[in-house]
């Protein structure tokens, strides 16, 4: 009995993790995105295909904590002042999206003869968007701080706030509408009071108790306990909000905002990031499992009709909103696609409506299938937008009257214009060199275009975008993107399709350096290497070395380190040989530094006629005799 139970307990994570390990890398290889890979994995192992997992609900409740953790980490990025500054977009544009989409869907339901009360409940359920998919895509594409990313976050927060009133509406409609609402006004007021009291408790408790508690835990100097405390904080806050019927994700978000200015912010992010990614993956797998293919076969017209109504009604309103909100043209497709989909909250609304007798099981399955399909369509729609729509928008925004005669392609192409690429570009621009820039920040692109830069919006790993940006004529290609995988893809494309371009690449670490060298890239700079050497050189000067000697030692160390990397390059897949080579290189460096220190001593004695030894590490003054 216990052995069987243990086998069943192990089977579920084994199947889910195995499916994810196979499906997600394959989807990324095909440029479909990790989210679609998780969804496909869920469909395959779910009851509709292989049947390896018969009840998707087994993991859905656990996987929902992926959304909770994600909202906590989003909150950590928003200081209270910044959140307060977003109050108008949250309650203004967020309300317009939710109630405007619900009104359009309700009107469509009325045309098909759906009762008003039922239509209202279902329209509000369908008007919700998926916070998990939207924020995961923004993180995957590094679009969180763009105008579209901030607008999507505002709408998502309003939807979380509105979740409780929508759920409270379901039993009211089922019990008979306005009469029931009047009879239950006292209960509704009590529920609202409890919800408000819990929010105030979390805010005040967070202000007064969270930092001292984390400080006390940090003094134990036990990393695993701090990680446990981080998880306890998120889960505890979510449980408190859930106890009064509020969104768990909203509670975690509030806790994150309260700690956004604390000294433990980065430690919390580091501890929770792995859990967030894993649980979000499980969430998408559970959504894929919930897609009932039998319903798709038996009610194809109904499901596809619901899907079309959902995407068209919401897409129409969101397209208009993107213009009213003055979102940059190149970011509008992301804004519309990520909010036009259905959301996981709809599953809860439809399940509650079935329990209340408003809909039957067959109708519930059709609604769930439509929402799940909309989630599955989102990565495909984004891919189609990248390939078909963005190039047209790029040409349209570039073809302004003052820019009809486009300058010839610049001989320098910079892929990525973040904190690293901007320094390279500004240095070139200051000395009169033109460069073409590829980046996904539409506002930065607009600013650069005003200064005469030739700029392109989009993913620099796309071969067609590289070609249109002039990579085939470029003399130099600077790879300055943040993501290591994207950097390697661009380097590989350059080697295969643009061999005339000399590649200058940014490396995040030694492993990234090796990977770039394997692709034939010769000019590589590790992003923190020279900054660290300059700091070390300053320390040497403060300890008493003459500036010339400190500079010479620093340069020698730099050259030795680069030579060491080149010697270790053929051994990169042999850990034993790597360790031996590193030990030998360290011994050579020590001998070299000792020799140079002796030479510095002789030069000092020849100039000053007195003995000299290395600076004292305590006083920082040269020890003289």
């Amino acid at each position: 009995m216990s052995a069987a139970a243990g086998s069943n307990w192990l089977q579920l994570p084994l199947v889910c993790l195995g499916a994810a390990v196979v499906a997600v890398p394959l989807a990324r290889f095909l440029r479909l995105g990790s989210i679609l890979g998780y969804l496909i994995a869920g469909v395959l192992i779910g009851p509709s295909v292989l049947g390896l997992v018969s009840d998707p609900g087994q993991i859905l409740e656990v996987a929902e904590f992926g959304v909770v953790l994600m909202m906590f980490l989003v909150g950590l990025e928003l200081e209270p002042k910044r959140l307060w500054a977003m109050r108008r977009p949250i309650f203004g544009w967020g309300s317009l999206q939710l109630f405007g989409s619900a009104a359009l869907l309700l009107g469509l339901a009325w045309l098909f003869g759906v009762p008003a009360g039922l239509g209202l409940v279902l329209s509000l359920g369908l008007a919700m968007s998926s916070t998990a998919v939207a924020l995961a895509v923004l993180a995957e594409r590094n679009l969180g701080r763009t105008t579209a990313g901030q607008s999507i976050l505002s709408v998502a927060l309003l939807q979380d706030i509105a979740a409780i009133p929508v759920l409270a509406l379901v039993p009211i409609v089922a019990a008979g509408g306005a009469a029931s609402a009047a009879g239950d006004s006292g209960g509704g007021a009590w529920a609202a009071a409890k919800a408000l009291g819990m929010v105030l408790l979390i805010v005040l408790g967070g202000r007064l108790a969270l930092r001292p508690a984390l400080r006390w835990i940090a003094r134990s100097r036990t990393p695993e306990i701090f990680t446990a405390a981080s998880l306890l904080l998120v889960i505890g806050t979510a449980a408190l909000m859930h106890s009064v019927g509020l969104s768990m994700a909203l509670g975690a978000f509030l806790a994150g905002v309260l700690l956004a200015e604390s000294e433990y912010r980065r430690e919390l992010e580091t501890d929770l990031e792995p859990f967030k990614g894993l649980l979000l993956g499980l969430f998408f797998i559970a959504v894929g499992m919930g897609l009932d293919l039998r319903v798709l076969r038996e009610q194809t017209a109904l499901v596809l009709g619901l899907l079309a109504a959902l995407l068209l009604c919401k897409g129409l309103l969101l397209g208009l909103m993107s213009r009213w909100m003055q979102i940059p043209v190149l970011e509008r497709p992301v804004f519309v696609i990520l909010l036009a989909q259905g959301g996981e909250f709809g599953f809860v609304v439809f399940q509650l409506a079935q329990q209340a007798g408003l809909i039957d099981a067959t109708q519930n399955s059709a609604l769930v299938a439509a929402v799940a399909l909309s989630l599955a369509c989102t990565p495909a729609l984004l891919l189609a937008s990248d390939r078909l729509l963005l190039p047209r928008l790029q040409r349209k925004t570039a073809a302004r009257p003052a820019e009809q005669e486009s300058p010839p392609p610049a001989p320098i192409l910079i892929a990525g214009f973040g904190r690293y690429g901007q320094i390279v570009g500004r240095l070139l621009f200051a000395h009169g060199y033109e460069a073409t820039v590829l980046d996904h920040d539409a506002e930065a692109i607009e600013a650069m275009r005003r200064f005469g830069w030739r700029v392109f919006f989009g993913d620099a790993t796309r071969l067609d975008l590289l070609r249109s940006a002039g990579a085939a004529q470029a003399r130099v290609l600077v790879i300055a993107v943040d993501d290591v995988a994207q950097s390697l893809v661009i380097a590989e494309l350059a080697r295969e399709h643009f061999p005339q371009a000399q590649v200058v690449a940014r490396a995040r670490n030694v492993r990234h350096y090796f990977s770039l060298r394997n692709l034939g890239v010769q000019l590589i700079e590790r992003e923190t290497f020279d900054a660290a050497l300059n700091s070390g050189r300053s320390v040497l000067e403060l300890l008493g070395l003459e500036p010339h000697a400190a500079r010479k030692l620093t340069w020698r160390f730099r050259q030795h380190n680069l030579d060491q990397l080149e010697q270790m390059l053929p051994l990169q897949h042999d850990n034993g040989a790597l360790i031996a080579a590193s030990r030998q290189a360290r011994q050579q460096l020590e001998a070299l530094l000792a020799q140079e220190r002796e030479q510095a001593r002789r030069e000092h004695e020849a100039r000053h006629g007195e003995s000299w030894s290395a600076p004292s590490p305590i006083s920082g003054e040269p020890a003289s005799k």
Side-chain angles (χ1 to χ4, degrees):
M1 182 81 174
S2 60
S7 176
N8 292 333
W9 182 85
L10 289 173
Q11 181 183 358
L12 184 61
L14 180 65
V15 170
C16 292
L17 293 175
V21 167
V22 173
V24 174
L26 183 59
R28 292 297 295 265
F29 176 77
L30 297 174
R31 308 284 178 87
L32 299 177
S34 59
I35 295 174
L36 190 56
Y38 283 120
L39 291 171
I40 292 173
V43 172
L44 291 177
I45 66 176
S48 298
V49 183
L50 299 177
L52 298 178
V53 179
S54 58
D55 181 14
Q58 289 179 300
I59 69 168
L60 186 56
E61 290 186 359
V62 175
E64 283 178 356
F65 276 105
V67 184
V68 172
L69 287 173
M70 178 177 62
M71 290 301 290
F72 177 77
L73 294 177
V74 169
L76 284 177
E77 297 294 329
L78 286 174
E79 298 85 356
K81 292 181 180 178
R82 188 173 162 209
L83 180 63
W84 179 250
M86 292 173 61
R87 65 190 184 280
R88 291 182 180 176
I90 291 173
F91 291 100
W93 297 116
S95 298
L96 177 60
Q97 183 279 326
L98 177 62
F99 299 116
S101 297
L104 290 175
L105 291 167
L106 179 59
L108 197 59
W110 178 77
L111 289 177
F112 284 91
V114 178
L118 175 60
L120 178 61
V121 170
L122 299 185
S123 297
L124 287 170
L126 291 172
M128 296 286 190
S129 306
S130 174
T131 302
V133 173
L135 296 187
V137 170
L138 291 177
E140 191 175 80
R141 295 184 169 219
N142 196 23
L143 297 175
R145 291 191 175 272
T146 62
T147 304
Q150 293 296 298
S151 302
I152 290 170
L153 176 60
S154 299
V155 172
L157 289 175
L158 188 279
Q159 291 180 0
D160 279 331
I161 294 170
I164 298 310
V166 173
L167 289 178
L169 185 64
V170 176
I172 292 174
V173 172
S180 175
D184 193 47
S185 59
W190 172 240
K194 286 197 302 181
L196 180 61
M198 186 58 70
V199 170
L200 292 175
L201 175 64
I202 290 176
V203 171
L204 294 177
R207 282 286 185 185
L208 299 175
L210 276 183
R211 285 194 187 182
L214 289 174
R215 190 178 300 116
W216 178 72
I217 293 168
R219 286 174 182 164
S220 69
R221 299 186 182 277
T222 312
E224 63 272 18
I225 296 301
F226 194 89
T227 302
S230 304
L231 286 170
L232 177 63
L233 168 64
V234 176
I235 296 173
T237 309
L240 288 174
M241 295 292 271
H242 184 66
S243 67
V244 294
L246 284 172
S247 166
M248 293 189 294
L250 181 61
F253 174 79
L254 287 176
V257 170
L258 293 172
L259 290 171
E261 296 177 333
S262 78
E263 61 272 32
Y264 302 107
R265 168 184 166 186
R266 295 303 176 193
E267 182 74 14
L268 290 166
E269 287 179 341
T270 304
D271 286 345
L272 295 178
E273 187 67 32
F275 297 99
K276 181 207 76 172
L278 179 61
L279 289 173
L280 265 184
L282 288 176
F283 173 81
F284 295 130
I285 288 176
V287 171
M289 291 180 192
L291 186 58
D292 192 342
L293 299 184
R294 179 182 57 81
V295 173
L296 285 178
R297 289 193 303 268
E298 297 175 357
Q299 303 186 63
T300 304
L302 176 59
V303 173
L304 294 182
L306 288 169
L307 176 64
L310 172 66
L311 295 179
L312 290 176
C313 289
K314 295 178 70 175
L316 175 63
L317 177 64
L318 290 165
L320 294 173
M321 284 178 58
S322 68
R323 296 174 63 92
W324 300 334
M325 298 170 72
Q326 298 182 343
I327 294 175
V329 174
L330 297 175
E331 295 179 12
R332 290 177 188 175
V334 172
F335 174 78
V336 173
I337 292 171
L338 290 184
L339 291 176
Q341 62 188 329
E344 55 275 1
F345 179 75
F347 301 149
V348 181
V349 174
F350 305 146
Q351 184 65 32
L352 190 60
Q354 180 184 344
Q355 294 173 358
L358 289 172
I359 58 176
D360 57 32
T362 303
Q363 293 169 328
N364 183 20
S365 297
L367 289 164
V368 169
V371 172
L373 273 181
S374 74
L375 296 178
C377 287
T378 299
L381 290 173
L382 287 170
L383 188 62
S385 171
D386 289 343
R387 300 287 173 85
L388 302 176
L389 184 58
L390 280 181
R392 294 183 181 180
L393 293 177
Q394 176 70 47
R395 289 192 295 269
K396 181 179 178 181
T397 55
R400 296 175 178 174
E403 300 174 359
Q404 291 296 330
E405 295 184 4
S406 179
I412 306 164
L413 179 60
I414 303 176
F417 211 64
R419 58 188 176 89
Y420 195 96
Q422 284 181 12
I423 295 173
V424 177
R426 287 165 57 193
L427 176 63
L428 296 172
F429 187 71
H431 289 81
Y433 292 97
E434 293 185 354
T436 298
V437 173
L438 277 167
D439 200 80
H440 52 62
D441 189 335
E443 288 188 334
I445 283 176
E446 289 296 323
M448 287 184 287
R449 184 172 283 140
R450 288 196 295 270
F451 285 93
W453 290 65
R454 192 167 184 263
V455 291
F456 286 79
F457 176 87
D459 184 1
T461 62
R462 287 171 45 201
L463 179 60
D464 58 336
L465 188 57
L466 286 171
R467 288 190 189 281
S468 63
Q473 294 81 35
R475 290 173 52 193
V476 179
L477 170 60
V478 180
I479 303 177
V481 296
D482 290 327
D483 189 84
V484 173
Q486 291 181 359
S487 168
L488 298 177
V489 170
I490 299 169
E492 188 172 1
L493 289 174
R495 182 181 65 175
E496 294 180 4
H497 300 280
F498 315 115
Q500 88 291 342
Q502 288 289 324
V503 177
V504 177
R506 157 198 189 181
R508 299 294 296 267
N509 48 46
V510 172
R511 184 60 61 187
H512 189 193
Y513 178 96
F514 286 156
S515 300
L516 289 168
R517 289 289 287 113
N518 291 335
L519 291 172
V521 181
Q522 301 290 332
L523 303 173
I524 307 170
E525 294 294 336
R526 282 177 285 161
E527 61 182 26
T528 58
F529 184 53
D530 284 314
L533 286 180
N534 286 334
S535 295
R537 174 181 154 189
S538 298
V539 172
L540 290 175
E541 292 179 9
L542 290 172
L543 291 176
L545 254 65
E546 296 178 355
H548 173 74
R551 182 168 58 251
K552 185 177 179 181
L553 281 175
T554 303
W555 180 88
R556 178 75 69 171
F557 179 87
R558 185 184 194 281
Q559 190 59 45
H560 175 82
N561 189 273
L562 294 177
D563 292 342
Q564 177 187 358
L565 281 181
E566 289 300 311
Q567 293 169 7
M568 294 168 65
L569 184 62
L571 311 175
Q572 59 183 292
H573 302 298
D574 186 343
N575 286 333
L578 270 178
I579 294 172
S582 178
R583 185 180 298 115
Q584 181 181 3
R586 185 168 62 250
Q587 292 171 353
Q588 292 174 353
L589 177 62
E590 290 173 356
L592 182 64
L593 292 178
Q595 179 182 351
E596 290 184 343
R597 187 169 56 187
E598 177 64 20
Q599 182 179 352
R601 184 186 66 79
R602 292 174 181 173
E603 291 176 356
H604 180 86
E605 290 178 352
R607 285 197 304 268
H608 301 287
E610 59 179 1
S611 298
W612 176 89
S613 63
S616 166
I618 299 176
S619 66
E621 297 294 333
S624 300
K625 293 182 181 178

